[in-house]
Structure formats: C-alpha cells, structure tokens
Amino acid sequence: MAEPIIKIENVNFVYEGSRRRAIADIGLDVYKGEFLVVTGPTGAGKSTLCQCLNGIIPHFTKGVMTGSINVVGMDTREHPVYEMAPHIGLVFQDADAQLFGMTVEEDIVFGPSNLGYDYEECMRRIEKALGDLNIEALRERKPQELSGGQKQSVAIGGVYAMLPEIIIFDEPTSMLDPWGKQNVFSIIKDINKVYGITIVLVEHEMNHIAKYADRVCVMDRGKIVLCGTTEEVFQQTDRLRELGMNVPQSIEIGNLLKRDGVIGRVPLSADALIAELKALPGLPKTPCAADDAARRQEAEAGPVVEAEHLVFSYLGETNQLDDVSVTFRKGDFTAVIGQNGAGKTTLMRSIIGLLKPQSGKILVCGNNITEKTVAELSADIGYVFQNPDEQIFTDSVLDELYFGPDNLGRDREKSKALVNEVLGDVGLERYENTWPKYLSKGERQRLSMGAIITMDPEVVIVDEPTTGQDWRETLWIMDLLKKLNDRGKTVLIITHNMEIVCRYCNRVVVMRGGNILLDGAPRDVFTEVETLKTAYVEPTDITRIAQALPYMPDNILSVQEFYDCFTAIRKGA
C-alpha cells in the first residue's frame, strides 16, 4: 500500500489556559488524491485538527501538543507554517479573513509571490487559478464588492495558486446561499478529481458529504468516533443521530426501503435513489391523489406587520427592495428565502427601522413606524442578527437578558420571572454570571435570541438562526422559536435551510432581485419548481425525490410522509 501523504499518530492538544483536550488520541492516515471529510457536532475539535495539519498549531496557537503529524514527509512540529505552505494550504470558514488585496488578482498572487517565485511564474499561476476555478471575470474586481460565493472562490484561488499537494477547507460554505454552496463544492470537487489535489474538508452539510467524499471521519469531544467509506458511515444512522448529526433525507428513506426489501443497497445521492425507484416494477404511472386537507391553510389572523410598496436602494442605483408589499399575520411562523442579495435582510431591517426605505409605508401593530426609532420599536418587534457578537456586549449572561427590559423602563422585579424562564429555555442556567465571550458560538446565538425574547415583543425576526450550527444546535434553536410561536408570537426567519422550513414554518416568502416571487404554505410553494429555480432555491431532497416519481404526490415534505405514502401505493399496486 502507498505511504500516506498525511500521517497522524496519537495526537493530543490542550489550548493554553484550558484543561480539556481539544483533540484526543487522534490517529489517522490520509492518502494522496483522497477526498476526506471530517464532520461532527460543534466543539468536536474539527477546526483544531485542521490547524494542526498546516502547523498553525503549535507554532501560532499556543498550548500543549503531544504525538506527531507528518505531512509529505515533514514533521509539523519542526517546520513552521511558511515552510508547510508550498505543500498544504488552509481555506478558512470566513473568506473575508483571507482577502486583503485591492483586486482579486492581487489576492491570488499573494501566496505565490511570498513563496519567492519570479514574475513569470507568478503570472502563470494567476492564469491557472483564474482559469481552473472559472473566475477570470473577477480579475480586476475589488474583493469587498463580491458576493459571498465569489469571495470564497477567490479565497480558494489564493491557496490553489500555490499549487499545494493538499488543501484543507474548514467549513467553506457555512455563510453561503444554496447556489453559492453548490458553486464552491463544484470547485472543490474539480480540484480533487480533475487536478489530483488531496482534500480534507470540514463540513456539516451531510448531503454534500454524501455526494463528494471518498471517506468520512466523524469527531466528537476531540476524538474520532466513526471513520470509513461514505457508505459505511451513513449506514450507521442511529449512531449519527446520537452524535447530533443530520442524516440526509435520501439516505434516511433509502435505509427504510432497504429494510423493507424494496431496494438492495442504499444509494448515496438523491439522484441515484430516484433512478432506482423509477426502475421498480409494478408501480402506477400516474400520481395518487394529494391530500387536499394538507393544502388548506388555517384561518388568517389579523396583520401584525404590513409593508406597502417599499422601495430601497443603498447607493441610489439598483433597488434592493423594488415596490415590495407584504403582510405578516399574528401567529405566523414564516421563512423568508432566496439567494444572497435577494433583499431578505434589507426587508427585515426596514421593518425594524434600521433602514429607511426611499418610499412606501410600514405598519407594526397598526402603528406607522416612519417617525419611530429602533429603540421605540423594540417593545413590539425584536431582531436577532446572524452574528451574535454584533449584539452581545454586557459583562454577564444575566446582564444581557436584563438589558432589554431595563432599557424599556420595565421594573426588574416584574421582569425576573420572564428572565429566569428564558434563561432555562436557552439552556444557560449554569452560566448566568459568565462573561458571554466565554460561551460557544451556539450558546452565544441562544443568548442573543434570549436577550430579544426577554423584551417580550410581539414579533421576533431571526436572520439565519442556524448558520454554523450543528444539527443538534439547529433543532434546539428552532424548537425555542417554535415554543415562542406556540405562545402566540409572530416569528420571521431568514434561512437557506429548506429542511427546517418544512419542519417548522407554516408560510414561505420567496424573494429574488428585490421582489417577492412566491408567498404561501410550504406545500404549495415547493411545488413551484420552475419559479424556485429562478430564485436559486431547491426543495428538500425528499420533496425532490417525490416530485421525480410519477406515482407520488408533489407536495411531500418529510421522510415519514414519503414512506407512509410510498408504502400505501406499493400495497395498492
């Protein structure tokens, strides 16, 4: 067998000032040309392992490291990062952390020029990176003017231009919309399959793992707890759920159908499963009747937010909101979806008064907000930012939860019951006197949400509530919002996660180019496949599988619903 290109032997690391091992007893071989995915819940040690591979640990990040890591014959403890750079590159989760040139070309040439290559070689590598990654059109653009997906492509280009043998990607798509994710994963796949570069990818997106990985390692509490081929790992669905991982819907239904003897093995992609199910003999060629009751919506409640003919432009050129009118009803749990730049955040920030549209009118709880300040509106409508660090600034968790009610002039004693309840709801009882910066990202996300809830607004808006969260944390956050919604509060979320839309929301608003394309119940909206494509939105895998099969209804939203319907059709066939 060939020698591994990366050899990790009994590696442990403890951060300076900590007692807990961030990674523990790690042993792993990675082979040339392999596409290895490292996944696991938040805090499992995935990013720490990445930083060990290119020498950031122990040369920059301080702590105690034991064991050895050998990369292309080089011991990472003996070779600093700049000596490792020609052989192994690291692309971070936040593209902005790696972009600092005045143009895309400057960013891409930075790596090769710092490796000491002459002008001709640097230019050759720029042309190769721009061409291979299909980003020639961005050459003269300023990085700060690019979309999220374009920025990540340029960050990849800067590492790729150094032509390393190995590239590590630390959750490179967590901040991107579905189209951006697909574009970046396509680039990573080509780097691996076409150009032969070994890939180590840290990723939560289980659907993409199933599509691209040769092998999967699952980490938990610093250790590798599962490792094998993609098929071997995804067969262990119960174990993955125990670890807080989200099993892809196509694999979940595939396992159920394999158990029933319908299929012999579980395909690793939705498209492969569709092909197999289409080929099954003896099933009808026309769809069974859809459940009409499922399409009926509940009686409409009164409006709590009304936006009429909103027009907004940041620079007075392209309208981010282009004559948008929409009403959100009391008790709605609504998802606002669409690609980055569709106008979702602009619409929500206009509703809370952070942005002032050039024209149009907004009513919140029947009151025109034109002359109201954000502080005045906060009693009726709360906003949770995508990045919790943008709205956390007190010295303790408890102070953060009291900050809103105190500034609304509410009596502390009267606020106490709600604050204590919210403290329990967000799972931070043990940390009430802790400085918020010491909390994990998921805990800070829950705290920022709790700080809004303690103000007891009628409407809660959450911008990307699950970005960067593992599946367990995602469900925790969404269950908290559902509990709030069950109490009669109106909840509006901006999200790219269609599975949580189907699980939790009773309404979906689809935006594109500053306009509203679709507005209705998830069962209705996700049947409008062609319109969704124009907004770069795709239904969940289970919906897509059902829509591809001639005998299934087109408005299936869950694995259980698919299984029950499919089983009934088989029995009746």
Side-chain angles (χ1 to χ4, degrees), residues 123-434:
M123 293 307 297
R124 185 184 76 80
R125 291 185 176 221
I126 287 174
E127 298 302 332
K128 179 173 176 59
L130 291 171
D132 289 352
L133 274 60
N134 195 28
I135 53 174
E136 299 100 324
L138 305 180
R139 180 195 290 263
E140 302 299 329
R141 297 276 300 277
K142 297 176 182 178
Q144 63 269 27
E145 295 176 351
L146 303 179
S147 70
Q150 289 171 330
K151 286 181 180 179
Q152 197 60 272
S153 298
V154 173
I156 293 170
V159 173
Y160 179 67
M162 294 189 284
L163 298 180
E165 296 162 74
I166 305 157
I167 300 181
I168 307 164
F169 295 90
D170 190 0
E171 295 198 53
T173 68
S174 66
M175 307 294 283
L176 304 183
D177 61 28
W179 185 87
K181 288 178 191 286
Q182 189 59 47
N183 186 57
V184 169
F185 276 117
S186 177
I187 288 172
I188 295 172
K189 180 191 72 173
D190 286 348
I191 287 173
N192 174 243
K193 302 303 180 189
V194 178
Y195 306 111
I197 292 175
T198 303
I199 300 296
V200 178
L201 171 68
V202 173
E203 184 54 58
H204 279 136
E205 292 273 351
M206 302 295 272
N207 286 326
H208 293 297
I209 292 173
K211 283 182 186 176
Y212 300 118
D214 298 320
R215 191 156 54 110
V216 178
C217 287
V218 183
M219 294 185 68
D220 185 42
R221 299 179 185 180
K223 296 186 176 186
I224 294 176
V225 293
L226 284 177
C227 195
T229 65
T230 309
E231 188 170 3
E232 289 169 345
V233 169
F234 279 116
Q235 283 176 351
Q236 303 185 56
T237 53
D238 290 342
R239 180 69 175 125
L240 290 171
R241 287 195 194 93
E242 286 175 11
L243 294 166
M245 309 300 294
N246 183 25
V247 179
Q249 291 178 322
S250 61
I251 290 176
E252 190 174 358
I253 190 64
N255 280 321
L256 290 173
L257 298 179
K258 180 186 176 186
R259 182 197 66 188
D260 291 352
V262 178
I263 57 177
R265 60 186 294 273
V266 179
L268 292 178
S269 72
D271 290 336
L273 180 60
I274 288 168
E276 188 143 353
L277 294 181
K278 276 185 173 180
L280 290 175
L283 289 168
K285 301 301 181 185
T286 57
C288 65
D291 182 2
D292 289 333
R295 290 186 181 271
R296 290 198 299 268
Q297 296 189 47
E298 298 174 4
E300 291 189 4
V304 68
V305 175
E306 300 166 87
E308 300 176 5
H309 303 292
L310 300 185
V311 174
F312 180 85
S313 172
Y314 287 101
L315 300 175
E317 299 171 358
T318 303
N319 287 335
Q320 275 68 44
L321 297 178
D322 190 11
D323 195 28
V324 169
S325 295
V326 64
T327 296
F328 297 107
R329 302 181 299 271
K330 182 173 175 58
D332 267 349
F333 196 137
T334 300
V336 182
I337 65 175
Q339 71 177 131
N340 290 347
K344 307 181 300 294
T345 297
T346 303
L347 174 60
M348 295 298 118
R349 293 191 176 188
S350 297
I351 289 171
I352 63 166
L354 279 176
L355 299 175
K356 300 295 184 184
Q358 278 84 33
S359 64
K361 181 174 69 172
I362 300 172
L363 303 178
V364 174
C365 298
N367 299 311
N368 193 320
I369 72 167
T370 304
E371 303 302 325
K372 288 183 175 287
T373 66
V374 175
E376 289 170 333
L377 283 169
S378 63
D380 293 320
I381 190 164
Y383 190 94
V384 183
F385 289 85
Q386 183 174 346
N387 181 357
D389 296 327
E390 292 180 359
Q391 61 188 111
I392 292 176
F393 47 84
T394 65
D395 293 331
S396 74
V397 166
L398 206 57
D399 285 346
E400 199 69 47
L401 296 178
Y402 272 114
F403 182 85
D406 285 352
N407 279 272
L408 289 174
R410 293 174 185 164
D411 182 83
R412 263 222 172 196
E413 200 56 38
K414 291 182 180 178
S415 299
K416 188 174 181 180
L418 179 57
V419 167
N420 287 337
E421 181 182 0
V422 171
L423 189 63
D425 285 344
V426 298
L428 297 176
E429 306 99 315
R430 294 183 300 152
Y431 304 111
E432 62 179 42
N433 296 314
T434 300

Side-chain angles (χ1 to χ4, degrees), residues 12-24 43 48 57 61-65 221-222 438:
N12 298 267
F13 182 73
V14 177
Y15 284 99
E16 189 174 65
S18 174
R19 296 180 180 178
R20 183 179 68 87
R21 289 187 295 175
I23 53 175
T48 301
I57 293 175
T61 303
K62 300 304 179 184
V64 177
M65 177 178 168
R221 299 179 185 180
Y438 284 156

